[in-house]
Amino acid sequence: MEWVLAEARPGDYDEIIAVVDDWWGRPVAGSLPRLFLDHFHRTSLVARDSGGGLAGFLVGVLSPSRAGRAYIHFVGVSPGARGTGLGRRLYQEFFALAREAGCVGAGAITAPVNAASIAFHRSMGFTVTGPVEDYDGPGRHMMVFDRVL
């Protein structure tokens, strides 16, 4: 399967937010405020299929506070494109973008119950720590991923 990957644009937000809850099968849209594509679209990616439909996206940032660090905030792959390597390709493109900008490491997080995400991040070379108690506030434990670029 072929995809066209491109830098995200602020205007991509409406299309992404319209599908994330369906793609996850539960409400997750609250974890992706518009500000991410308004302010970090240059470090975020969208993937489109040959017909121009949204197949996936990655919202990433280069940390303004931690020199040399990149962070992957939110990634989605449409149910029809799962298992095809698109998620891996989005991560690889983001890693290349981050390295080009001088980053030497990348991080991400997920909920401890998200076994698929934990396995994927391990397969991408991330170390996994956790669950880290109260990482996102009281009772919100998270798995923390770290990878050398």
Side-chain angles (χ1 to χ4, degrees), residues 110-149:
T110 198
V113 298
N114 195 339
S117 177
I118 295 165
F120 173 78
H121 283 86
R122 278 194 173 114
S123 79
M124 292 297 298
F126 285 85
T127 59
V128 180
T129 304
V132 176
E133 300 284 316
D134 302 328
Y135 182 89
D136 265 350
R140 298 205 45 188
H141 316 315
M142 300 301 274
M143 303 300 286
V144 178
F145 305 126
D146 187 60
R147 184 183 191 278
V148 173
L149 296 178

Side-chain angles (χ1 to χ4, degrees), residues 1 3 14 17 19 34-35 38 44 48 55 66 72 83 85 109 116 128 131 147:
M1 191 174 274
W3 306 278
D14 292 323
I17 209 67
V19 299
R34 183 179 295 276
L35 73 90
D38 282 350
S44 299
R48 299 200 175 275
R66 296 182 63 197
I72 298 165
I109 62 170
V128 180
R147 184 183 191 278

Side-chain angles (χ1 to χ4, degrees), residues 11-139:
D12 292 322
Y13 180 81
D14 292 323
E15 186 177 10
I16 290 169
I17 209 67
V19 299
V20 294
D21 287 349
D22 286 338
W23 287 9
W24 265 258
R26 60 186 167 83
V28 296
S31 296
L32 186 59
R34 183 179 295 276
L35 73 90
F36 279 96
L37 286 187
D38 282 350
H39 297 280
F40 301 107
H41 60 91
R42 289 187 181 153
T43 55
S44 299
L45 303 163
V46 293
R48 299 200 175 275
D49 61 27
S50 59
L54 184 66
F57 65 91
L58 181 149
V59 176
V61 301
L62 307 182
S63 177
S65 299
R66 296 182 63 197
R69 296 289 301 171
Y71 179 76
I72 298 165
H73 174 66
F74 209 101
V75 180
V77 174
S78 72
R82 290 183 188 154
T84 64
L86 179 55
R88 181 172 297 280
R89 184 158 170 224
L90 285 163
Y91 271 66
Q92 290 168 337
E93 289 288 323
F94 179 74
F95 293 159
L97 179 153
R99 276 192 300 269
E100 190 174 300
C103 291
V104 296
I109 62 170
T110 198
V113 298
N114 195 339
S117 177
I118 295 165
F120 173 78
H121 283 86
R122 278 194 173 114
S123 79
M124 292 297 298
F126 285 85
T127 59
V128 180
T129 304
V132 176
E133 300 284 316
D134 302 328
Y135 182 89
D136 265 350

